[in-house]
Amino acid sequence: MSRRAGILEFAVLGLLRESPMHGYELRKRLNTSLGVFRAFSYGTLYPCLKTLVANGWLIEESGSTPEDALTATLAGRRAKIVYRLTAEGKDHFEELLAQTGPDAYEDETFAARFAFFGQTSRDVRMRVLEGRRSRLEERLEKMRASLARTRERLDDYTLELQRHGMESVEREVRWLNELIESERAGRDIKSSASEGSAQQDNTSGETGGLPRHRDSTRPDPSDDTTT
């Protein structure tokens, strides 16, 4: 299995652990909740769902009333299928959540893992966050060394592009430091973000969630459009 396929299976199991969904709802949640999946298609999702069903981790159920199913049949349309997580699927997802190996620190994998931190134990969150920070610090060190060796041979635009890349990594390291500090102090992310906002702004309103440029609130399933 490719890494991207594994991430997709993980995300599908995680979303269906929250509630059963049909394919359109699931695709929409993957698009809105996990930016890494914005470019994927139904042609990618449905083979994944079939594999999970074959493994016994999901079951397919009719999501329509008998009248709706009859109407769909007469109109030549397929009846709506709802996917539900099985007990075995829940156990498998929890096993995946507990994994803290190097794959959890990679760019695409980390984004998916972080999206389900609300379902992850604190000690696992800490190991993943610290592993991700270590990975980025190594990357940053290599970027700085490379820039020091080549900066005299680079034109201004290439040099600026490399600086921009370094600044992006530095920002994520600072963000990870804040999250790790909050985890160690036993605070949740919402409390930590509110405290940080209070120090920068004398207003009493709470921002909640992650810093303003991110949104840590879980999308409301009621926002999904059904077909």
Side-chain angles (χ1 to χ4, degrees), residues 147-163:
L147 183 60
R149 291 193 305 269
T150 62
R151 65 183 307 147
E152 298 300 328
R153 302 193 298 271
L154 300 177
D155 62 63
D156 290 343
Y157 294 101
T158 304
L159 183 62
E160 191 62 28
L161 183 61
Q162 292 203 10
R163 286 174 175 166

Side-chain angles (χ1 to χ4, degrees), residues 197-205:
S197 176
Q199 292 175 357
Q200 298 177 13
D201 190 343
N202 290 329
T203 61
S204 59

Side-chain angles (χ1 to χ4, degrees), residues 3 9 44 56 60 77 96 99 130 141 170 218:
R3 174 180 293 169
E9 288 192 3
T44 303
E60 296 177 331
R77 300 193 306 268
L96 295 176
Q99 294 179 2
E130 290 175 341
E141 183 177 351
E170 289 170 344
R218 191 179 304 281

Side-chain angles (χ1 to χ4, degrees), residues 14-33:
L15 289 176
L16 292 177
R17 187 187 186 193
E18 298 173 6
S19 64
M21 301 181 203
H22 60 71
Y24 180 83
E25 291 175 307
L26 188 56
R27 184 172 185 263
K28 184 177 180 182
R29 288 293 303 276
L30 287 165
N31 285 335
T32 57
S33 304

Side-chain angles (χ1 to χ4, degrees), residues 1-222:
M1 180 192 302
S2 68
R3 174 180 293 169
R4 187 169 178 82
I7 298 170
L8 179 58
E9 288 192 3
F10 171 82
V12 167
L13 293 172
L15 289 176
L16 292 177
R17 187 187 186 193
E18 298 173 6
S19 64
M21 301 181 203
H22 60 71
Y24 180 83
E25 291 175 307
L26 188 56
R27 184 172 185 263
K28 184 177 180 182
R29 288 293 303 276
L30 287 165
N31 285 335
T32 57
S33 304
L34 304 170
V36 68
F37 295 112
R38 283 176 186 154
F40 88 107
S41 65
Y42 282 108
T44 303
L45 175 59
Y46 282 100
C48 171
L49 290 170
K50 294 301 181 184
T51 298
L52 295 176
V53 170
N55 289 339
W57 298 329
L58 301 181
I59 58 174
E60 296 177 331
E61 300 176 338
S62 173
S64 306
T65 65
E67 292 78 9
D68 291 336
L70 177 60
T71 300
T73 301
L74 293 175
R77 300 193 306 268
R78 294 179 59 187
K80 186 182 298 183
I81 300 297
V82 170
Y83 295 90
R84 182 184 299 275
L85 196 66
T86 64
E88 293 80 3
K90 180 179 179 181
D91 291 341
H92 179 62
F93 179 68
E94 290 176 351
E95 291 175 1
L96 295 176
L97 275 182
Q99 294 179 2
T100 58
D103 282 349
Y105 317 148
E106 300 299 333
D107 294 343
E108 289 187 351
T109 313
F110 176 75
R113 289 297 302 270
F114 190 82
F116 295 99
F117 262 23
Q119 303 181 41
T120 307
S121 64
R122 187 182 298 274
D123 61 324
V124 171
R125 293 198 303 263
M126 280 292 295
R127 288 198 292 272
V128 173
L129 290 172
E130 290 175 341
R132 175 66 175 173
R133 180 177 63 180
S134 177
R135 179 64 52 85
L136 290 182
E137 287 174 341
E138 292 174 2
R139 184 184 302 174
L140 191 58
E141 183 177 351
K142 291 178 180 178
M143 294 173 73
R144 288 169 174 163
S146 175
L147 183 60
R149 291 193 305 269
T150 62
R151 65 183 307 147
E152 298 300 328
R153 302 193 298 271
L154 300 177
D155 62 63
D156 290 343
Y157 294 101
T158 304
L159 183 62
E160 191 62 28
L161 183 61
Q162 292 203 10
R163 286 174 175 166
H164 174 69
M166 287 176 55
E167 289 172 358
S168 297
V169 177
E170 289 170 344
R171 282 195 299 271
E172 185 170 349
V173 170
R174 289 194 297 270
W175 175 66
L176 290 167
N177 285 336
E178 294 172 0
L179 293 176
I180 290 170
E181 180 182 352
S182 295
E183 294 285 352
R184 286 176 176 167
R187 301 191 301 269
D188 61 24
I189 293 176
K190 183 178 292 187
S191 298
S192 176
S194 298
E195 291 172 6
S197 176
Q199 292 175 357
Q200 298 177 13
D201 190 343
N202 290 329
T203 61
S204 59
E206 292 186 1
T207 60
L210 292 173
R212 293 178 186 272
H213 64 285
R214 295 176 180 263
D215 181 8
S216 68
T217 56
R218 191 179 304 281
D220 186 348
S222 65

